[in-house]
Amino acid sequence: MNSALTVNDGIEQPPMVNPHVDGLFEKRRQPLPAVAEYVRGIREGNITMLSRAITLIESRRPDHQPMAQKVLAACRPFSGNSIRLGITGVPGAGKSTFIEAFGGMITARNHRLAVLAIDPGSERSKGSILGDKTRMETLSADPRAFIRPSPGTGSLGGVARKTYETVILCEAAGFDYIFIETIGVGQSEIAVHSMTDFFLLLMISGAGDELQGIKRGVMEMSDLLLINKADGSNMEKAIQAQAQYQSALHLFPAPPSGWTPHALTCSALDKTGLEDVLQEIGNYVTLTKANGYFEQRRREQARYRMYETINENLQNTFYNNPTVEAKLADLEQQVANGELNPYDAAAQLLALKSD
Amino acid sequence: MNSALTVNDGIEQPPMVNPHVDGLFEKRRQPLPAVAEYVRGIREGNITMLSRAITLIESRRPDHQPMAQKVLAACRPFSGNSIRLGITGVPGAGKSTFIEAFGGMITARNHRLAVLAIDPGSERSKGSILGDKTRMETLSADPRAFIRPSPGTGSLGGVARKTYETVILCEAAGFDYIFIETIGVGQSEIAVHSMTDFFLLLMISGAGDELQGIKRGVMEMSDLLLINKADGSNMEKAIQAQAQYQSALHLFPAPPSGWTPHALTCSALDKTGLEDVLQEIGNYVTLTKANGYFEQRRREQARYRMYETINENLQNTFYNNPTVEAKLADLEQQVANGELNPYDAAAQLLALKSD
C-alpha cells in the first residue's frame, strides 16, 4: 500500500480510532495501539501488549475486527513453533495444581509457557483473570509464564476460534509451550483436540463416580492418561488405577499418530512423576515429527479450521438474525415438548432468513 | 384446505405430476403415487409403497421435496413406537451374519424388523439393494423383515437426515424394531448415535489390529459391546476378550442413561448368545423408560435434529453455490499445503456468498 500511514516494517496503521472508545478498555480508556505497535510488542514478548492484542481479538465490536485480523496476519508467520498441549480432567482431578507444578518444571528449564484456560460455561468478565491467577499462584508470578483465560462466548464453536487465535499470538510472542486447559464439559474437548498436538487427560484414582464429569469419548482421544494424586495413602490406589487404565488402553483403537497412549501416575502436590510426563510428550513429538503425523495433523487442523470458520460464520449470521433470535427459543421448546417436529421448526426458522 | 383434491382421510393430493417423470423410477416410468396413496400403502405395511416413499424422500429433485415432506408429515403421527438400534463394527466382525441371526430371532418372535444400512463411502445405485439382500439372504426372504440401504449422499450430514426420515416411514409401516447399521468410518457412528435408542458395537476377539477400523470414541458411546465369533476354537479367546472389555467398561465415564454397558459374547454363526443380547436391550429399554431417559433422549434428538437441519441447510446452500464450488477445492488445497491460512481462505469463500 502507498498510504502515508504505512510504517517502516510494512504493517499498516489502523484507521483513526476514538481514543475514548468504550467497552474494550473501559477502565483505562487508553487509545488502541496501532497494529505495528501491537505486533512489535508481541514480538518483543511484552505481556501487556500481548494481553491487549488478545482482548482485541476477543472483542465483538465489528469495528475492531479489521485491526484484529491485521494483528493476527502479522503474527502468523511467527507462529507454529510451540508444543500445543490440550489438558482436560474432571473437577477435583487437580488441574490447577498440576499446571502449577508441571508448568513450573517447564519454565525452570528455560521454556516459556502460556496457559489458556477455556471456560465454556460462563461468560467471564475480564476481572476473572485474577481468579485464574489465584488458583495458579506460583506460575502467575513466574516471568516465563503467561496465564490467560479464554472467555466462553456462548456461541457455537466460538470458544475454539478465539483460543486458536490466541495460540498464534502467544507463539509469535515466543512461548514454546502452550497449555490449553478445558474443564471437561460439552464440546470443549473436541474443540481443544482440534487445535493441539497432544491431549492429556488428568484423572484421579478409583474408577467410577469421579468419571461422571468426563464426556464419553474423551478417554479414547487422549494421548496420555495421567492419574494425579499418587501420593500419601492414595499411592496404592493410584498405581492400581494406572494398571487398569493401561490395560484398558490396549483395547482402544490405535490412534492414527502411530503413538501408543500410556497411563502414568503423578503427584502434582509432591511434584513426582512430572519428568515422565515431559518425557512422554517429548517422545510423542519425536515420533510424530519423524513419521510426518505432527505436520500432517496441523495441516488437517488448518483445513478443519477453514470449514469451522465458514460454518461458524454461516451459523452466526443466521442465529444472530433478530427475527430468528426472537422465534428460536419458542420453537426449540415446542420441539423439545414434542408439539412440533424438528423439520417444520427448522423450515419455519429458515424461512425467516430472507425476511 | 377446501381443495377439490382433498381426499377422505384428509391428506392432500400432490400437484399434478408428469407421469413420464425421469430419474426417480427410470426403469418403470410409473407415475408417482399421490401422497394419500403412499401413506395408505405405508400404513398397510405395503413394502413396495414403503420402498417407493423412501426413494421419494431420498430424491434430490427439488420438485419431489414438497410431496416428500407431505408423506413424512402424514406418517409422523404414527412414528416413534419402535426400538431403534444402532449397530456398528469393524469390517470382518460379522455384522451381516449377526443381523441375519439376531434379526431372524426377532422376527421369529412375531416382531417386524427394518434394517437400514448406511454406507457413507459410496453413492450406491438402487441396484445395490440386491447386494444387501445377498449378504442377508434369509432375512431378505423373511416376510417380517425389510432391508434397505441408505445411500451415502456425500453431503455434510446428509446421510443422517435421510436415514432418520426412513425410520419415521418404517415406524409408520408398523416395524417395531429398526436396526441402523453403519460400517464404522468417519462421522457415521455419531450420526447413528443421534437417532437411536441403543448403540451396539460388534467386535471380534483379540485386542489390537482389528480395532483400527473403529473410530476413537465409538467404544465409549456404546451401550453394549458384543464379541462375536465366540465359537469353535475361538471360544476361549472371545471369553478372555469379554473379560477384558468388561473391566475396561468399568473405567469409562458412566452414561447419562443410568445404564451400565456390558460386554457379552455371541456366535452369529452358531446362533448362541443372541437371547442375552435381546434381554440386554429389553433391560435397557425397561430401565430408561422408567427413569425417563428414553423419552428425554428422543426429545433431545429432536432438538438436535432441528439444529442439524438448519445447519445442513445453511451449509448446503453455501457449498452448493456454484461460485463457491468452483473455488473451494483450490483454496482448501492451499490451506492444506500451508500456502494460505484458514481464515483468509474462509473469508475469500464467504465473500463469494453474496456474488
Side-chain angles (χ1 to χ4, degrees):
Chain A
M1 267 194 61
N2 289 324
S3 161
L5 287 171
T6 304
V7 289
N8 284 344
D9 58 0
I11 298 155
E12 285 174 56
Q13 294 265 2
M16 290 299 287
V17 291
N18 179 346
H20 297 291
V21 59
D22 272 320
L24 191 58
F25 300 109
E26 268 186 77
K27 283 170 203 148
R28 304 189 206 155
R29 295 196 182 268
Q30 292 176 356
L32 286 181
V35 171
E37 224 181 306
Y38 276 121
V39 177
R40 202 178 305 116
I42 290 169
R43 294 286 296 139
E44 285 167 359
N46 177 328
I47 294 302
T48 308
M49 221 42 151
L50 174 62
S51 296
R52 293 183 71 184
I54 296 171
T55 305
L56 174 71
I57 276 173
E58 287 172 350
S59 166
R60 294 187 182 178
R61 286 184 45 177
D63 58 322
H64 287 156
Q65 300 310 312
M67 208 193 328
Q69 289 309 313
K70 282 177 190 164
V71 171
L72 255 180
C75 286
R76 201 170 280 119
F78 307 107
S79 72
N81 294 319
S82 80
I83 293 173
R84 303 166 182 169
L85 190 70
I87 299 179
T88 195
V90 291
K95 282 197 299 301
S96 303
T97 318
F98 172 74
I99 290 173
E100 273 263 281
F102 187 57
M105 200 183 80
I106 283 176
T107 60
R109 294 176 180 214
N110 263 326
H111 291 296
R112 292 184 66 216
L113 166 68
V115 178
L116 315 178
I118 293 185
D119 180 357
S122 68
E123 179 79 33
R124 294 199 195 181
S125 71
K126 275 120 205 163
S128 77
I129 297 176
L130 196 65
D132 278 289
K133 291 204 167 159
T134 311
R135 68 184 177 94
M136 298 178 206
E137 227 171 303
T138 317
L139 210 55
S140 62
D142 188 329
R144 293 200 194 87
F146 170 64
I147 303 176
R148 174 80 186 197
S150 285
T153 64
S155 80
L156 297 155
V159 171
R161 193 170 60 84
K162 298 307 182 195
T163 304
Y164 186 71
E165 294 178 349
T166 303
V167 167
I168 289 169
L169 298 187
C170 290
E171 288 180 342
F175 289 96
D176 44 8
Y177 275 86
I178 300 185
F179 292 179
I180 307 181
E181 180 200 4
T182 167
I183 58 164
V185 294
Q187 294 294 305
S188 61
E189 289 87 357
I190 292 165
V192 169
H193 193 260
S194 81
M195 58 178 72
T196 52
D197 304 312
F198 188 95
F199 198 77
L200 189 158
L201 175 58
L202 200 68
M203 312 182 87
I204 37 179
S205 57
D209 286 352
E210 72 272 16
L211 277 173
Q212 299 256 3
I214 296 187
K215 205 176 128 76
R216 294 172 97 187
V218 169
M219 242 171 83
E220 287 186 57
M221 66 165 73
S222 303
D223 297 301
L224 172 62
L225 297 191
L226 185 57
I227 296 132
N228 190 18
K229 304 192 182 177
D231 43 38
S233 60
N234 214 28
M235 183 69 97
E236 206 170 316
K237 262 169 66 189
I239 289 170
Q240 273 173 13
Q242 177 196 10
Q244 286 178 318
Y245 283 112
Q246 187 59 59
S247 63
L249 282 170
H250 288 307
L251 302 171
F252 282 5
S257 54
W259 171 251
T260 309
H262 297 125
L264 298 179
T265 60
C266 78
S267 164
L269 197 68
D270 293 352
K271 297 191 171 56
T272 54
L274 302 176
E275 303 269 348
D276 292 345
V277 175
L278 193 60
Q279 185 62 51
E280 194 79 355
I281 295 167
N283 291 347
Y284 175 89
V285 171
T286 305
L287 173 81
T288 55
K289 283 199 170 170
N291 71 15
Y293 180 79
F294 191 91
E295 184 57 25
Q296 181 202 329
R297 181 177 161 109
R298 286 212 175 165
R299 289 184 171 191
E300 273 166 19
Q301 289 177 340
R303 279 184 56 235
Y304 178 78
R305 202 137 311 279
M306 180 188 88
Y307 283 105
E308 279 280 294
T309 305
I310 292 171
N311 297 343
E312 266 170 48
N313 182 295
L314 296 174
Q315 289 175 23
N316 286 341
T317 307
F318 180 76
Y319 292 108
N320 291 334
N321 176 326
T323 332
V324 171
E325 252 184 327
K327 276 272 199 178
L328 184 66
D330 179 44
L331 289 176
E332 184 181 341
Q333 192 56 50
Q334 289 183 41
V335 169
N337 293 346
E339 295 157 17
L340 183 66
N341 76 69
Y343 303 108
D344 287 349
Q348 283 185 40
L349 288 164
L350 286 162
L352 302 172
K353 189 168 60 162
S354 43
D355 282 7
Chain B
M1 270 193 63
N2 289 325
S3 160
L5 286 171
T6 304
V7 291
N8 284 345
D9 58 3
I11 298 156
E12 285 175 57
Q13 294 265 4
M16 291 299 287
V17 290
N18 178 346
H20 297 289
V21 59
D22 272 321
L24 192 59
F25 300 109
E26 268 185 77
K27 283 170 203 149
R28 304 188 206 157
R29 296 199 181 266
Q30 292 178 355
L32 286 179
V35 171
E37 224 181 305
Y38 276 121
V39 177
R40 202 178 305 114
I42 290 169
R43 295 285 296 138
E44 285 166 358
N46 177 329
I47 294 301
T48 308
M49 222 39 152
L50 173 63
S51 297
R52 294 184 69 184
I54 296 171
T55 305
L56 174 72
I57 276 173
E58 287 172 350
S59 166
R60 293 184 182 180
R61 288 183 42 175
D63 58 320
H64 287 156
Q65 300 310 311
M67 209 194 326
Q69 288 309 313
K70 282 177 190 165
V71 171
L72 256 180
C75 286
R76 202 169 279 118
F78 307 108
S79 72
N81 294 318
S82 80
I83 293 172
R84 303 168 183 170
L85 190 69
I87 299 178
T88 194
V90 292
K95 281 197 300 301
S96 304
T97 318
F98 171 74
I99 291 173
E100 273 265 279
F102 187 58
M105 201 183 82
I106 284 175
T107 59
R109 294 177 180 212
N110 262 326
H111 291 296
R112 293 183 66 215
L113 167 68
V115 178
L116 315 178
I118 292 185
D119 180 357
S122 68
E123 179 79 33
R124 294 198 196 183
S125 71
K126 275 118 204 164
S128 77
I129 296 176
L130 196 64
D132 279 289
K133 290 201 167 161
T134 311
R135 69 184 176 93
M136 299 178 205
E137 226 171 303
T138 318
L139 210 55
S140 62
D142 187 329
R144 293 200 194 87
F146 170 64
I147 302 176
R148 173 80 186 197
S150 284
T153 63
S155 79
L156 296 155
V159 171
R161 193 171 58 86
K162 298 307 181 193
T163 304
Y164 186 71
E165 294 178 347
T166 303
V167 167
I168 291 169
L169 298 188
C170 290
E171 288 180 343
F175 289 95
D176 44 9
Y177 276 85
I178 300 186
F179 291 177
I180 306 181
E181 180 200 6
T182 167
I183 58 165
V185 293
Q187 294 294 303
S188 59
E189 289 88 356
I190 292 166
V192 169
H193 193 259
S194 81
M195 59 178 71
T196 52
D197 304 313
F198 188 95
F199 198 76
L200 188 158
L201 174 59
L202 200 67
M203 310 181 88
I204 38 180
S205 56
D209 286 351
E210 72 272 14
L211 277 173
Q212 301 257 1
I214 295 187
K215 205 175 129 77
R216 295 173 95 188
V218 169
M219 240 173 85
E220 286 186 58
M221 65 165 75
S222 303
D223 297 302
L224 172 62
L225 297 192
L226 185 58
I227 295 132
N228 190 18
K229 305 194 181 176
D231 43 38
S233 60
N234 213 30
M235 183 69 97
E236 206 169 317
K237 264 169 64 189
I239 290 170
Q240 273 172 12
Q242 176 196 11
Q244 287 178 318
Y245 283 112
Q246 187 59 59
S247 62
L249 283 169
H250 288 307
L251 302 172
F252 282 5
S257 54
W259 173 250
T260 307
H262 297 124
L264 297 179
T265 60
C266 78
S267 165
L269 197 69
D270 292 354
K271 298 192 170 59
T272 54
L274 302 175
E275 304 268 349
D276 291 345
V277 175
L278 194 60
Q279 184 64 49
E280 194 79 357
I281 296 166
N283 290 347
Y284 175 89
V285 171
T286 304
L287 173 80
T288 56
K289 284 199 169 168
N291 70 15
Y293 180 78
F294 191 91
E295 184 59 22
Q296 182 201 328
R297 179 177 162 110
R298 287 213 174 163
R299 289 184 172 189
E300 274 167 18
Q301 289 177 341
R303 279 184 56 234
Y304 178 78
R305 203 137 310 279
M306 180 187 87
Y307 282 105
E308 279 280 293
T309 305
I310 292 171
N311 297 344
E312 266 170 48
N313 183 295
L314 296 175
Q315 290 175 23
N316 285 343
T317 307
F318 180 76
Y319 293 108
N320 291 334
N321 175 326
T323 331
V324 171
E325 252 185 327
K327 277 271 198 180
L328 184 65
D330 179 44
L331 289 176
E332 184 180 342
Q333 192 56 51
Q334 289 184 43
V335 169
N337 293 346
E339 296 157 17
L340 183 66
N341 76 69
Y343 302 109
D344 287 349
Q348 283 186 39
L349 288 164
L350 286 162
L352 302 172
K353 189 169 59 162
S354 42
D355 284 7

